[in-house]
């Protein structure tokens, strides 16, 4: 089993969010699994141009680090997203990454994986950023096990104080992957989302040729 942490903070080792992501991964590792950490700012992820090539061919014309990163995500069982609050949302590299996941959403490529999100904020809305990142995971077909938002608010020790909760989140993530914790409501939501995108692919086979072929291969379109 492998848990992948993706941190989107430009502050390197000084990142408060990084401390939370590491704590989640530490909790996961305590359950006997492998964990990997990726610094999103060390990668080059170009902006989505909305060309639609991914829907038609399954390939993106952008030549950057996206495909390698997505392959590492596909080869993981659990995903931890970390981002500070930048004007009530995630920093630009994380948003650029999210925007490149359009075909992965249409094909529900991450179905069966589990994930969570963590965020830090100077004064407010860390929880809102966590909710946003978790909503992206849900849209991808990932089952969300929880999240953690931490407000600094003049307290530099806040990430360390929240480390215990972050580690527990990592343990919960692993237990969820193992099937020890069930999420029937999310299972049904994922089923409905997959049905929607199957119907979308069938409604316009030419435009969504790759998506159509994907669902045929999965046996969901006969």
């Amino acid at each position: 089993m492998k848990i992948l942490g993706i941190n989107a903070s430009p502050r390197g080792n000084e990142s408060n969010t990084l401390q939370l992501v590491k704590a989640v991964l530490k909790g996961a590792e305590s359950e006997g699994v492998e964990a990997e950490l990726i610094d999103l700012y060390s990668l080059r992820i170009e902006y989505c141009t909305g060309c639609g090539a991914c829907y038609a061919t399954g390939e993106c014309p952008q030549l950057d680090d996206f495909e390698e990163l997505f392959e590492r995500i596909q080869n993981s069982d659990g995903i931890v997203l970390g981002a500070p609050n930048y004007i009530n949302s995630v920093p630009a590299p994380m948003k650029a990454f999210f925007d490149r996941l359009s075909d992965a959403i249409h094909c529900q490529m991450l179905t069966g994986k589990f994930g969570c999100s963590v965020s830090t904020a100077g004064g407010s809305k860390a929880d809102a950023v966590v909710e946003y990142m978790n909503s992206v995971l849900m849209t991808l077909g990932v089952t969300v096990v929880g999240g953690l938002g931490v407000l600094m608010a003049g307290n530099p020790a806040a990430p360390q104080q929240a480390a215990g909760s972050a580690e527990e989140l990592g343990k919960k993530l692993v237990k969820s992957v193992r099937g020890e914790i069930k999420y029937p409501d999310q299972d049904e939501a994922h089923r409905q989302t997959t049905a929607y995108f199957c119907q979308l692919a069938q409604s316009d086979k030419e435009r969504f040729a790759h998506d159509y072929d994907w669902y045929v291969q999965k046996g969901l379109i006969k």
Side-chain angles (χ1 to χ4, degrees):
M1 186 188 301
K2 185 172 185 178
I3 305 299
L4 185 66
I6 302 174
N7 185 47
S9 169
R11 301 186 65 224
N13 290 330
E14 295 182 0
S15 166
N16 294 309
T17 306
L18 176 61
Q19 294 185 50
L20 288 184
V21 175
K22 284 184 173 180
V24 176
L25 297 182
K26 180 180 178 181
E29 288 176 321
S30 73
E31 291 289 324
V33 306
E34 178 186 356
E36 180 184 2
L37 176 64
I38 293 176
D39 175 7
L40 197 58
Y41 271 81
S42 70
L43 305 180
R44 184 171 66 89
I45 308 292
E46 299 292 345
Y47 300 132
C48 174
T49 64
C51 68
C54 58
Y55 301 139
T57 68
E59 301 290 336
C60 178
Q62 299 275 29
L63 300 177
D64 56 14
D65 296 320
F66 172 81
E67 291 296 338
E68 180 182 351
L69 173 57
F70 188 63
E71 182 177 352
R72 290 160 85 174
I73 292 173
Q74 287 181 301
N75 290 332
S76 68
D77 302 285
I79 305 160
V80 182
L81 298 180
N85 175 4
Y86 274 29
I87 313 181
N88 303 330
S89 189
V90 295
M94 183 69 92
K95 184 59 168 68
F97 169 61
F98 286 166
D99 289 348
R100 293 283 295 280
L101 292 167
S102 187
D103 194 46
I105 290 172
H106 274 234
C107 294
Q108 292 292 280
M109 291 181 181
L110 301 188
T111 295
K113 300 187 186 301
F114 293 79
C116 61
S117 300
V118 297
S119 178
T120 59
S124 66
K125 298 195 176 179
D127 287 341
V129 176
V130 167
E131 183 179 356
Y132 167 63
M133 290 190 289
N134 277 347
S135 73
V136 173
L137 291 174
M138 272 290 293
T139 304
L140 285 159
V142 177
T143 297
V144 174
V145 309
L148 179 63
V150 174
L151 301 181
M152 304 304 294
N155 180 14
Q160 294 93 331
Q161 293 168 354
S165 296
E167 290 181 28
E168 289 301 315
L169 182 59
K171 294 176 183 179
K172 183 179 181 182
L173 178 58
V174 173
K175 291 176 182 177
S176 299
V177 174
R178 288 177 177 154
E180 297 172 19
I181 305 174
K182 303 296 184 181
Y183 302 85
D185 290 345
Q186 290 191 56
D187 292 343
E188 175 59 20
H190 291 319
R191 187 196 66 76
Q192 293 181 15
T193 300
T194 298
Y196 167 78
F197 282 117
C198 276
Q199 184 179 19
L200 182 66
Q202 288 178 294
S203 70
D204 193 340
K205 297 179 185 179
E206 183 174 344
R207 180 184 177 192
F208 300 114
H210 169 258
D211 302 349
Y212 182 84
D213 291 342
W214 172 276
Y215 284 116
V216 168
Q217 293 171 13
K218 293 293 182 181
L220 297 176
I221 293 179
K222 305 298 184 181

